[in-house]
Amino acid sequence: MVRDAATAAAERDRLAKDVRAGDAHDAAALAARLRELDRLTAELRGASEASHDGGRRTRALIAINGAIGRLRELDGTAALIEQVPAELCRCCGFTRAMISRVEGSRWIPEVLHLAEAAPENDAFTSFIGDLEIPLEHMLVETELVRRRIPVLVLDPAARNAGTFRNLVDVAGTTSYVAAPIMPTRRVIGFLHADRAGQGSEVDAVDRDTLWAFAEHFGLLFERAVIVERLERQRAEIHATLMAAADAVNALAEEELGLAHHERPPEHALAARPGARVSPLATLLSAREREVLELVASGATNVEIAAQLVIAPGTVKSHVKRIMRKLRVSNRAEAVARYLQLTRR
């Protein structure tokens, strides 16, 4: 059994030598040997192509690792989006690469990088300036969002290719690869790439290496977003703390003056717009505040009733409501709460 390209080549050479030497005694044997030679030749070709593809994949993965390292040095998500198409062309050998974002039911091209100058590229760049493409049914990019896997499009101009024809016609592409950007399970954008002008089409190796690049970039982009959010929150917290520190310093450094400040009547405070209202006024009625003030002075229910000219039972009801509103369980706690609120 042929296990590698070297073995297949040796077997092919041996059979070709036997056929030329005329060792086969009849036509049937010669035909069988020729068929075996064809099989070994095809196997050799397949082994050679597999070896070539494996080498391409390995080289591309090494280059992708370097590209992600360079992108990691950039500052912020905006710089990442701006630079990623150029790095994709650099590490994977594409001629053109584009990053797009997904917003709801639309995909919007963001940055296009052109590794080589070509007449059609000017029209391509101008066309995507303000382009917003709906993610319609059967569109290739719609399938990217739905299935979350890369695609290889070998004939984008075909009627049933599922491509956005206006973009394909302007770009003049004959084949391209695309992959979703999905830091989490949600697709947030796309990467597109082709080999326009190279005299060769993209293939399955290009699709797989683009997919590897997109996965690495998605993780890097997620990290950059988290860092930016943390920095923004840190700045907000710092600003809040600094404002509080300034207020405390201003209060501590405020000069004291010996002056008599008369407290205006409570009804005047209530009538003045923007005036501060006593905490007790928001919790208790006027009568309840009178009762609580007398309780705080040490008066009994009977003494309070006599002073306010109401029945002792009414005073008792007032006291119960006051304790319920202040969320206390006895008169002592009510007095403590009263003193706390009045100090405020």
Side-chain angles (χ1 to χ4, degrees), residues 46 71 119 138 161 169 206 227 238 246 253 279 282 292 298 303-304 324 326 331 334 340:
L71 290 171
M138 297 301 291
D169 293 342
D206 291 319
V227 169
H238 178 73
D246 291 342
E253 296 172 0
T282 63
L292 180 56
E303 293 171 341
I304 294 172
R324 184 175 67 252
L326 296 181
R331 293 170 75 97
Q340 180 185 17

Side-chain angles (χ1 to χ4, degrees), residues 44-87:
L44 173 62
R45 185 182 299 111
S48 176
E49 291 176 353
S51 176
H52 175 68
D53 289 350
R56 280 181 60 200
R57 293 177 194 273
T58 301
R59 290 191 296 272
L61 290 175
I62 294 173
I64 287 171
N65 184 63
I68 295 299
R70 290 187 293 273
L71 290 171
R72 191 178 289 113
E73 299 298 322
L74 299 177
D75 186 18
T77 55
L80 277 176
I81 293 172
E82 188 67 29
Q83 190 62 28
V84 68
E87 286 292 348

Side-chain angles (χ1 to χ4, degrees), residues 16 101 104 170 178 211 242 318 341:
R101 73 178 189 272
V170 171
W211 182 223
M242 290 300 295
H318 282 311
L341 292 174

Side-chain angles (χ1 to χ4, degrees), residues 147-221:
R147 301 178 62 188
R148 298 190 288 271
I149 58 174
V151 294
L152 167 62
V153 182
L154 294 176
D155 188 8
R159 183 181 298 274
N160 60 346
T163 56
F164 186 66
R165 291 296 301 276
N166 292 343
L167 184 60
V168 169
D169 293 342
V170 171
T173 184
T174 56
S175 63
Y176 69 86
V177 287
I181 302 171
M182 35 181 286
T184 57
R185 295 294 294 172
R186 184 176 69 87
V187 176
I188 63 172
F190 305 128
L191 287 172
H192 290 76
D194 68 7
R195 294 184 176 273
Q198 295 187 19
S200 61
E201 305 295 339
V202 292
D203 56 17
V205 177
D206 291 319
R207 176 198 61 201
D208 296 343
T209 54
L210 177 64
W211 182 223
F213 185 95
E215 287 189 317
H216 284 80
F217 173 72
L219 295 175
L220 179 61
F221 189 80

Side-chain angles (χ1 to χ4, degrees), residues 24-330:
H25 298 292
D26 53 43
L30 179 60
R33 284 183 174 272
L34 288 174
R35 286 194 299 271
E36 181 68 10
L37 177 60
D38 291 340
R39 184 187 66 79
L40 290 174
T41 301
E43 189 170 346
L44 173 62
R45 185 182 299 111
S48 176
E49 291 176 353
S51 176
H52 175 68
D53 289 350
R56 280 181 60 200
R57 293 177 194 273
T58 301
R59 290 191 296 272
L61 290 175
I62 294 173
I64 287 171
N65 184 63
I68 295 299
R70 290 187 293 273
L71 290 171
R72 191 178 289 113
E73 299 298 322
L74 299 177
D75 186 18
T77 55
L80 277 176
I81 293 172
E82 188 67 29
Q83 190 62 28
V84 68
E87 286 292 348
L88 178 56
C89 288
R90 178 179 178 181
C91 70
C92 296
F94 296 118
T95 307
R96 302 184 296 191
M98 182 173 70
I99 184 171
S100 308
R101 73 178 189 272
V102 174
E103 286 190 0
S105 60
R106 302 168 300 160
W107 66 282
I108 304 168
E110 282 289 320
V111 179
L112 171 67
H113 176 75
L114 309 169
E116 298 179 2
E120 63 272 16
N121 287 340
D122 294 336
F124 188 12
T125 304
S126 177
F127 182 74
I128 67 170
D130 298 313
L131 186 62
E132 295 185 4
I133 306 170
L135 290 169
E136 298 176 339
H137 180 60
M138 297 301 291
L139 193 67
V140 168
E141 285 70 22
T142 305
E143 290 299 299
L144 288 179
V145 173
R146 187 177 68 86
R147 301 178 62 188
R148 298 190 288 271
I149 58 174
V151 294
L152 167 62
V153 182
L154 294 176
D155 188 8
R159 183 181 298 274
N160 60 346
T163 56
F164 186 66
R165 291 296 301 276
N166 292 343
L167 184 60
V168 169
D169 293 342
V170 171
T173 184
T174 56
S175 63
Y176 69 86
V177 287
I181 302 171
M182 35 181 286
T184 57
R185 295 294 294 172
R186 184 176 69 87
V187 176
I188 63 172
F190 305 128
L191 287 172
H192 290 76
D194 68 7
R195 294 184 176 273
Q198 295 187 19
S200 61
E201 305 295 339
V202 292
D203 56 17
V205 177
D206 291 319
R207 176 198 61 201
D208 296 343
T209 54
L210 177 64
W211 182 223
F213 185 95
E215 287 189 317
H216 284 80
F217 173 72
L219 295 175
L220 179 61
F221 189 80
E222 180 183 28
R223 172 182 173 273
V225 169
I226 293 173
V227 169
E228 285 186 348
R229 289 176 179 173
L230 290 176
E231 284 295 323
R232 187 165 56 249
Q233 291 177 358
R234 184 194 67 81
E236 292 174 355
I237 292 173
H238 178 73
T240 302
L241 292 177
M242 290 300 295
D246 291 342
V248 172
N249 290 336
L251 182 62
E253 296 172 0
E254 185 177 354
E255 294 185 0
L256 298 179
L258 186 60
H260 177 68
H261 300 281
E262 293 186 357
R263 177 179 176 84
E266 186 174 333
H267 63 83
L269 287 175
R272 187 177 65 193
R276 295 183 60 183
V277 180
S278 167
L280 279 175
T282 63
L283 293 174
L284 307 177
S285 66
R287 175 62 81 180
E288 288 169 347
R289 291 198 299 274
E290 290 177 340
V291 171
L292 180 56
E293 186 176 353
L294 292 172
V295 170
S297 69
T300 64
N301 287 354
V302 175
E303 293 171 341
I304 294 172
Q307 186 165 341
L308 298 181
V309 195
I310 57 177
T314 304
V315 174
K316 186 176 181 180
S317 299
H318 282 311
V319 172
K320 286 184 178 180
R321 284 197 297 270
I322 290 170
M323 289 192 293
R324 184 175 67 252
K325 290 181 179 180
L326 296 181
R327 297 182 180 180
V328 295
S329 57
N330 54 54

